[in-house]
Amino acid sequence: LVPFQLQTFYTSPRFKQMFTGGDGRIQGRVNVDGQTVDHVKVLHAYAYILQHFYDIQLEFDYPLIFTAIDPGTGLDRHFRIDFDARFTTVKTVGPLPSLTEADKQHLLAHLADPHELMSLLPPERFAFEGFAIINAVDVTDQEVISSLKRDLIEKESIISNARFYGLQQRMQTLFRKPDLFFELSALQGDEVLSLNCNRQIEYSCIYADSEHHCINEYEGSVYARACCEGEVLLVEDLTTYPHRTEIEDKLIRQGLRNFVVAPLHYQDNLIGTLSLGSPRPGDLHALNIMKLRDVLPLFAVSIHRSLEEFDTRLQAVIKEQCTAIHPSVEWRFRQAALRWTEQYFSKSMTEMEPIVFDNVYPLYGVSDIRSSSRQRSAGIQADLLEHLRMAQDILCLGHGHKPLPILDHMAHHVGKWKSHIAADFGAGDELSVIDLLRRDVEPLFETLSQFSPEIAEKIDTYRSAIDPQLGTIYRRRRDFEESVMCINEVLSSYLDKEQEKAQAMFPHYFEKHKSDGIEYGIYIGASMVENGQFDLLYLHNLRLWQLMVMCGIVRLADQMRSKLKVPLELA
């Protein structure tokens, strides 16, 4: 090369074929823009000048990658450009510019700025002579794999027409096969979702933009074998493949002879496949297939991300169209949501189909707290009687200090309520008592507290005994409710653990409610499992499970009774 120009005066035949035109000037795309190329040339020149004249050693090496079209395949080839300047010399034009120590320090601090370099060392004061040698090293594989890694990080790497086509071009470049067939498949339940450049991507959705096949269609095929063995499977020639199925015949009809299937795993779970094909037997062989090793995990991550995004869409549909669902029947709602999604993308959107489970067996169980309503009512009654008694004591004590008729009247009125509550406590009496005390009695306390320190102390005790939220005494009722909550939590936790065991025996619908005790409902039947297989043995098993669970609940309740503030008995 002429120094610091892309003009050759001698080239090897292969270099000429790949890079130079008739005028000897290097052609091709560079991995950086023209401004950066000019910047790099300037920095190379000044690094040479500083080393030669000022004994400043600079290590400067900027990787330039040239991309050229291979005339044999029409595909891109990538080359690293190595420059050898051993036969290049530099001389001064006029006196050598002097540099002080301060200039050198300033220059070293601004090496990346060509304008600073030019101001201290004007370029017209130096001239280069000789020639440079350039070597182009093929780095196509490394560049393509790096590009694939960058592409597959992108969110829509496999669900965009342009990006998927770009992936196919890179795979064709990697294997040097311009007619290479490239396909990705994802596993979604019992369906296989296939993506290739023969299908238009319109919705940026792996489900809507793919071909759907039942997983059973692939039984015995090269896909199934590769997935079962967990290894890349290479078929030299499909026409002589001894285990041909309809899948292989379909590939042959597409013009493919040489075929490769690589299973894709995400966190040790099979998530899909990557397929490559060629119309010529032997095009793909064990050596070039090794190039896939570094990119297969990235394809798996990309498929997993697209499936997760689709699953998020699906969950949004279920939440929008359905109520809360039990995990055991989530599969049925996913089926309905998938069908609704297909109708939506095919522009024939209708309402989601009704979800009905026919011919199911219902089971029921309850552990109720015996006489809970009576015990709760007794707790409220006792709290109200204590509340009235404390109010009446304050009124009587105040009347003793100052015999005001109003105090005697209110004390008598409160006494009548005490007698009524003790003898015939009714549903609305609690609110009436609270209203009476708050409206007629408690406003008197401000004045009564001034009668004597003893009355003031009684009023303080009264106020501290009142629950601020309920406006009344909340002791015995709280003891009862805390005891109920404690036993409910223990029994509910026990039932949840036992229910996990029951689900492992056979999946079923389960719902649980807590009030004064625990009750649950179970539905089991063929329509509630995805494969539709059911036997009455499972029903008998669940009935036996119910009896065993109830025995366990009785034992727990007996163990807890002595620890509760209110001893509760289960029915």
Side-chain angles (χ1 to χ4, degrees):
L1 294 177
V2 176
F4 297 101
Q5 297 182 28
L6 296 179
Q7 181 66 46
T8 67
F9 59 86
Y10 172 79
T11 58
S12 66
R14 181 63 173 156
F15 193 97
K16 182 176 183 180
Q17 181 188 29
M18 291 298 301
F19 288 106
T20 62
D23 58 358
R25 187 166 181 81
I26 295 178
Q27 300 174 345
R29 307 190 306 273
V30 193
N31 62 327
V32 293
D33 57 78
Q35 184 179 358
T36 302
V37 172
D38 293 338
H39 192 178
V40 169
K41 285 197 292 185
V42 170
L43 291 179
H44 267 297
Y46 275 106
Y48 197 87
I49 291 169
L50 291 171
Q51 178 180 345
H52 189 76
F53 292 110
Y54 300 97
D55 197 28
I56 297 176
Q57 303 295 325
L58 294 178
E59 294 292 335
F60 179 70
D61 184 24
Y62 192 91
L64 287 178
I65 304 295
F66 269 59
T67 301
I69 303 296
D70 187 333
T73 64
L75 299 171
D76 286 344
R77 296 285 291 277
H78 305 284
F79 296 85
R80 186 184 75 244
I81 301 301
D82 294 336
F83 288 96
D84 183 352
R86 285 178 296 169
F87 302 100
T88 302
T89 60
V90 61
K91 65 180 184 179
T92 58
V93 179
L96 178 69
S98 61
L99 291 178
T100 65
E101 285 299 318
D103 290 336
K104 291 180 180 180
Q105 293 299 323
H106 180 78
L107 186 146
L108 290 173
H110 297 84
L111 281 175
D113 188 349
H115 300 290
E116 292 287 338
L117 294 171
M118 292 178 183
S119 64
L120 289 172
L121 301 172
E124 62 271 13
R125 304 290 288 277
F126 302 93
F128 286 88
E129 296 178 340
F131 60 91
I133 297 175
I134 181 173
N135 291 296
V137 182
D138 193 329
V139 291
T140 299
D141 289 358
Q142 298 95 307
E143 278 297 303
V144 169
I145 290 174
S146 296
S147 299
L148 282 171
K149 290 178 179 179
R150 289 193 298 270
D151 291 346
L152 290 170
I153 289 173
E154 296 294 328
K155 184 178 179 182
E156 295 186 350
S157 55
I158 62 172
I159 49 175
S160 156
N161 269 324
R163 292 187 184 279
F164 196 92
Y165 182 70
L167 291 176
Q168 175 165 283
Q169 284 185 312
R170 296 197 192 286
M171 297 297 283
Q172 290 171 344
T173 300
L174 182 64
F175 289 95
R176 318 283 199 271
K177 311 297 178 188
D179 50 2
L180 184 76
F181 170 80
F182 168 63
E183 181 182 56
L184 287 174
S185 297
L187 296 180
Q188 171 76 11
D190 59 354
E191 283 189 313
V192 177
L193 315 180
S194 298
L195 288 164
N196 54 59
C197 281
N198 296 328
R199 183 175 177 87
Q200 187 75 8
I201 296 176
E202 301 178 13
Y203 305 104
S204 297
C205 172
I206 192 171
Y207 189 82
D209 294 318
S210 58
E211 295 178 1
H212 301 173
H213 303 278
C214 179
I215 198 169
N216 293 334
E217 297 176 26
Y218 293 86
E219 188 173 348
S221 69
V222 289
Y223 294 94
R225 279 190 58 200
C227 292
C228 290
E229 296 172 8
E231 300 288 343
V232 177
L233 180 63
L234 169 64
V235 179
E236 293 287 342
D237 189 348
L238 287 171
T239 60
T240 60
Y241 182 59
H243 310 292
R244 274 168 57 181
T245 67
E246 175 58 31
I247 293 294
E248 286 76 28
D249 291 340
K250 180 181 177 182
L251 294 172
I252 293 171
R253 288 195 294 271
Q254 291 176 6
L256 299 177
R257 298 281 297 277
N258 194 194
F259 200 68
V260 173
V261 181
L264 300 176
H265 293 87
Y266 181 83
Q267 296 181 349
D268 297 329
N269 294 319
L270 181 66
I271 197 170
T273 60
L274 180 149
S275 309
L276 301 174
S278 169
R280 291 171 297 280
D283 257 6
L284 300 169
H285 48 77
L287 292 180
N288 57 22
I289 289 304
M290 290 181 66
K291 299 176 183 179
L292 286 175
R293 183 175 53 191
D294 292 333
V295 295
L296 288 180
L298 295 171
F299 278 104
V301 169
S302 186
I303 285 179
H304 173 73
R305 182 177 59 234
S306 296
L307 287 174
E308 274 199 330
E309 290 171 358
F310 172 66
D311 190 63
T312 301
R313 288 190 184 188
L314 208 58
Q315 292 300 326
V317 170
I318 293 174
K319 288 179 180 178
E320 181 182 343
Q321 301 286 332
C322 313
T323 57
I325 57 176
H326 189 268
S328 64
V329 293
E330 184 178 355
W331 63 270
R332 180 63 185 87
F333 287 81
R334 285 184 63 85
Q335 279 185 351
L338 282 171
R339 282 195 276 268
W340 185 90
T341 303
E342 282 185 306
Q343 292 171 351
Y344 176 84
F345 284 122
S346 63
K347 304 295 189 295
S348 59
M349 184 174 58
T350 60
E351 292 184 1
M352 185 180 285
E353 64 190 77
I355 298 175
V356 179
F357 299 95
D358 295 317
N359 302 317
V360 296
Y361 296 90
L363 302 174
Y364 177 75
V366 60
S367 57
D368 197 15
I369 294 174
R370 196 182 297 277
S371 304
S372 61
S373 298
R374 182 182 59 78
Q375 291 192 62
R376 178 181 284 104
S377 179
I380 297 172
Q381 182 184 34
D383 285 339
L384 284 177
L385 286 173
E386 183 181 357
H387 194 171
L388 289 166
R389 180 188 58 76
M390 292 180 72
Q392 189 179 39
D393 287 349
I394 293 170
L395 293 170
C396 292
L397 192 59
H399 185 266
H401 279 75
K402 285 189 179 182
L404 301 176
I406 185 63
L407 298 179
D408 183 56
H409 170 73
M410 290 308 303
H412 177 70
H413 196 44
V414 169
K416 287 176 63 178
W417 267 108
K418 274 177 58 181
S419 300
H420 171 72
I421 294 295
D424 188 23
F425 176 58
D429 290 343
E430 181 182 9
L431 293 177
S432 299
V433 169
I434 294 172
D435 184 61
L436 164 71
L437 296 173
R438 186 175 293 171
R439 186 186 69 243
D440 297 333
V441 177
E442 292 175 2
L444 303 174
F445 287 174
E446 189 67 32
T447 302
L448 291 174
S449 64
Q450 300 172 13
F451 285 6
S452 72
E454 182 186 5
I455 297 176
E457 184 180 352
K458 285 259 187 191
I459 291 174
D460 289 340
T461 302
Y462 172 94
R463 286 173 173 160
S464 64
I466 302 302
D467 183 273
Q469 292 183 333
L470 298 178
T472 187
I473 292 176
Y474 181 57
R475 290 177 183 165
R476 296 164 186 83
R477 182 175 19 163
R478 180 174 56 236
D479 290 344
F480 170 78
E481 291 180 350
E482 287 180 354
S483 298
V484 170
M485 182 175 67
C486 181
I487 198 168
N488 275 352
E489 290 300 323
V490 171
L491 298 186
S492 177
S493 178
Y494 170 76
L495 189 58
D496 286 342
K497 291 179 181 177
E498 294 301 315
Q499 168 59 198
E500 291 178 7
K501 300 176 185 177
Q503 289 287 353
M505 300 171 193
F506 191 84
H508 53 273
Y509 182 84
F510 175 84
E511 58 183 1
K512 177 187 65 178
H513 304 287
K514 288 190 290 186
S515 54
D516 288 351
I518 306 291
E519 62 177 307
Y520 67 84
I522 291 176
Y523 297 92
I524 185 172
S527 65
M528 304 202 74
V529 288
E530 193 165 2
N531 59 18
Q533 296 179 1
F534 174 73
D535 191 282
L536 286 178
L537 172 67
Y538 298 116
L539 176 62
H540 301 326
N541 190 70
L542 267 184
R543 287 173 173 162
L544 182 59
W545 173 86
Q546 284 185 287
L547 294 174
M548 294 170 64
V549 165
M550 283 303 172
C551 290
I553 286 176
V554 169
R555 286 194 298 269
L556 279 174
D558 287 342
Q559 294 169 8
M560 293 182 61
R561 187 176 294 115
S562 61
K563 302 175 184 178
L564 301 174
K565 293 179 180 179
V566 178
L568 301 175
E569 185 178 352
L570 288 187

